[in-house]
Amino acid sequence: ILKRSVKGAPARIAIRGTHHFDDAELADHIAQIMKANHTYWRNPGEPFLVTVLPLKVPPDRFSHGGTGLSDAFAFFVSDNIPMHEIDKTLAHEHVHTWIPRRVGGTTALNNRGDDEPLSYWFSEGFTDFYAWRIGMRSGRTKIDEAVTALNKTLERYAKSPARDVPNADIKNKFWTDPDVRQVPYDRGMLIALTWDDRIRAHTDGKMNLDTIVHEIKKRTAENGDDYPAGDQTLVQTVQELTGLDLTEAHAKHVKKGEHIKLPEDILSACGTINTVVKQKFERGFSGERQDEGYKITGVTVSSAAFKAGLRPGMILDLEQSEGERGNVDIVYRMKVIAPEETTIAFWPRGRESYELQTFIPHADMNRSQRRKCIRQIGGRL
């Protein structure tokens, strides 16, 4: 058990097992995350416990997860996990100290109902956004790391077959459909980014989303359970403080789940948002593993796989086959070993297309430009 002091309060880090990182280094890292969050939310330190337990996984994989409580977090990690993955998870979970409970909570949480996934766009998506923002603001996150994190969100969101699912459907499918489970995280992150930009533009830079959540936090502290839930009062508070009406945006992007498209100049101090049209990934076949190999059980007639000659009943040697699920830019090369040996190659591209947005940072930024970029992502510009 290691102890650190965070803004005058004790933080305890209990680590079991061996890992590729140094225990003291991890404890210092956790303390930095906690200090950055308490500084952003303008709160003194509070006692907090983090437990770190080992997970066993195959050598070519890493895994992590955990459970957050009000003043503690139980963290499970494989011994080969990269530090940036630890950072992302711990930062997210520690931001939950404030979001949603200290910014009004959520409707389902306050009513102790089972509709909690309906508010995940706020409680999880905004938590992702503020973990991203505070990391940059505090200096823990580098510009290239922030760019990579945003682009991963944009790519995952663009490719998701559940991207446009209405919010009402998330409640019923959240625990059974992994694509639906990810949607409120990515949707909420992008909603927070776009609303932050709109508030800043509407007020000529005098206010941003930070202004709103800090005001809701203040009112929640003053009124306790009598204050409306954060996911319900957010739009109202924006209009009250700034005059900007986000009612239509809430209806379109939260309730209906319509596609969120970032403006090209949303992060103009850092770079531009590039939008391209890409064909959707379509593998075009299904199959099952058997003793003799991977047996093709079905092939979509309109697919590139069918046109290349792949047919039900063929047996593949996956060890000698190539392809990357979800990547339309890598050729699938299928090594067929029965009924006769051959190789079948095709591009795994379907007929449908989608828009992919990518954040491209300015090249060769000087020190002044980098500071301005950090300030913009950090909410200080």
Side-chain angles (χ1 to χ4, degrees):
I1 298 178
L2 295 89
K3 297 180 181 180
R4 296 291 185 271
S5 178
V6 178
K7 295 182 78 70
R12 292 176 297 155
I13 300 93
I15 305 173
R16 184 172 185 177
T18 58
H19 304 272
H20 70 89
F21 49 78
D22 180 75
D23 290 355
E25 177 189 3
L26 178 62
D28 291 341
H29 200 69
I30 292 172
Q32 290 170 8
I33 291 172
M34 295 172 63
K35 180 181 178 181
N37 287 336
H38 280 284
T39 299
Y40 172 81
W41 293 103
R42 304 167 192 164
N43 282 128
E46 300 170 352
F48 202 82
L49 169 67
V50 177
T51 61
V52 183
L53 299 174
L55 281 177
K56 292 295 183 183
V57 297
D60 59 337
R61 298 181 183 180
F62 66 83
S63 181
H64 64 291
T67 302
L69 303 171
S70 59
D71 60 354
F73 178 59
F75 195 40
F76 309 94
V77 295
S78 56
D79 60 8
N80 60 345
I81 188 169
M83 186 60 80
H84 70 267
E85 290 292 338
I86 295 176
D87 183 284
K88 177 183 175 182
T89 302
L90 289 176
H92 176 99
E93 292 302 330
H94 194 244
V95 170
H96 273 317
T97 301
W98 292 271
I99 300 176
R101 291 184 181 276
R102 296 188 187 181
V103 286
T106 64
T107 306
L109 186 65
N110 295 353
N111 295 335
R112 289 178 166 78
D114 59 357
D115 294 340
E116 196 170 349
L118 298 179
S119 300
Y120 281 168
W121 67 272
F122 175 69
S123 62
E124 299 296 346
F126 274 50
T127 295
D128 268 356
F129 174 76
Y130 275 105
W132 182 70
R133 164 158 285 182
I134 295 168
M136 177 63 83
R137 187 185 183 113
S138 67
R140 289 187 302 103
T141 304
K142 297 182 176 66
I143 292 176
D144 61 336
E145 292 172 336
V147 170
T148 298
L150 178 56
N151 281 336
K152 283 184 177 179
T153 297
L154 288 169
E155 182 176 17
R156 189 169 54 233
Y157 176 73
K159 291 181 175 180
S160 173
R163 187 195 70 183
D164 300 331
V165 63
N167 199 50
D169 291 345
I170 290 178
K171 172 189 171 183
N172 298 324
K173 299 178 180 179
F174 184 85
W175 301 110
T176 57
D177 187 328
D179 292 318
V180 171
R181 191 177 306 134
Q182 184 62 42
V183 165
Y185 289 79
D186 295 339
R187 181 182 289 171
M189 165 75 181
L190 298 179
I191 286 173
L193 182 58
T194 54
W195 289 5
D196 178 72
D197 179 61
R198 290 188 61 182
I199 294 167
R200 191 171 61 242
H202 189 78
T203 62
D204 295 323
K206 295 181 180 67
M207 299 182 189
N208 60 10
L209 188 62
D210 298 0
T211 313
I212 310 304
V213 295
H214 275 288
E215 180 61 24
I216 295 175
K217 173 177 171 286
K218 174 176 171 288
R219 295 178 182 183
T220 301
E222 292 171 348
N223 297 280
D225 293 340
D226 293 331
Y227 193 71
D231 60 324
Q232 296 299 317
T233 195
L234 183 66
V235 172
Q236 176 187 334
T237 307
V238 170
Q239 186 163 16
E240 176 191 340
L241 296 184
T242 72
L244 175 64
D245 188 358
L246 292 173
T247 304
E248 183 180 352
H250 182 274
K252 287 175 60 177
H253 301 306
V254 175
K255 291 184 178 179
K256 296 179 182 179
E258 292 183 15
H259 180 209
I260 301 164
K261 188 172 180 179
L262 299 184
E264 180 182 357
D265 61 350
I266 194 169
L267 294 169
S268 57
C270 300
T272 59
I273 300 294
N274 183 55
T275 304
V276 297
V277 176
K278 303 200 73 169
Q279 288 177 276
K280 285 189 175 181
F281 175 84
E282 183 184 41
R283 194 173 72 155
F285 65 90
S286 58
E288 59 185 19
R289 292 180 182 272
Q290 298 184 351
D291 291 341
E292 61 269 31
Y294 186 85
K295 183 177 182 180
I296 301 297
T297 56
V299 183
T300 304
V301 175
S302 61
S303 69
F306 186 88
K307 292 175 183 176
L310 197 65
R311 295 293 185 270
M314 287 182 172
I315 307 296
L316 307 183
D317 182 347
L318 292 184
E319 294 296 324
Q320 298 186 58
S321 298
E322 301 174 2
E324 182 178 320
R325 197 176 187 91
N327 193 335
V328 299
D329 296 321
I330 293 182
V331 175
Y332 262 60
R333 299 185 189 278
M334 304 287 96
K335 178 63 177 178
V336 181
I337 55 177
E340 53 186 53
E341 288 195 14
T342 187
T343 298
I344 295 175
F346 59 91
W347 293 100
R349 298 168 180 169
R351 294 182 176 182
E352 296 182 3
S353 61
Y354 67 95
E355 283 190 346
L356 173 64
Q357 292 196 299
T358 305
F359 178 36
I360 302 177
H362 297 312
D364 302 320
M365 284 189 279
N366 59 36
R367 182 176 297 180
S368 175
Q369 291 170 325
R370 293 179 69 83
R371 280 200 300 264
K372 193 173 181 180
C373 173
I374 291 168
R375 288 178 62 82
Q376 183 172 48
I377 295 179
R380 288 174 161 163
L381 184 64

